Amino acid sequence: MAEQCADGAVGEAVAALALVDHHVHQALGGALSRDGFEDQITESDRRAPAGTTPFDSQVGFAVRRWCAPR
C-alpha cells in the first residue's frame, strides 16, 4: 500500500517498515444503549458539546454512512 501512497525515498522507507496497529478497543458481548454505543465511538473522556453527539464527528459520519439504508 505504501507504494501507492508515496514515491521516492519516503515511499521506500514506509514500505520497509513493519507496521503494527496496537490500538484496540474491548469486544463487547451484549447489546448497547445508544449512549453506550456513543461512548464506544469516541476517544474522548469528555461528553460531546451541548447540541451534538459523538455522531457529529468524522467517525460518527462514517458510522452513519455505513449504516444508512442502501
Side-chain angles (χ1 to χ4, degrees):
M1 177 171 234
E3 298 84 22
Q4 298 170 354
C5 298
D7 294 327
V10 172
E12 291 173 20
V14 171
L17 294 173
L19 299 176
V20 177
D21 182 1
H22 63 84
H23 182 100
V24 297
H25 290 254
Q26 70 275 13
L28 302 171
L32 288 174
S33 65
R34 179 180 171 132
D35 286 340
F37 183 78
E38 288 177 356
D39 287 342
Q40 296 298 312
I41 65 169
T42 181
E43 297 293 322
S44 179
D45 60 350
R46 299 182 183 117
R47 301 299 300 163
T52 69
T53 77
F55 285 105
D56 298 316
S57 67
Q58 293 301 310
V59 72
F61 299 150
V63 168
R64 291 189 299 179
R65 182 175 182 197
W66 185 78
C67 294
R70 297 168 201 234

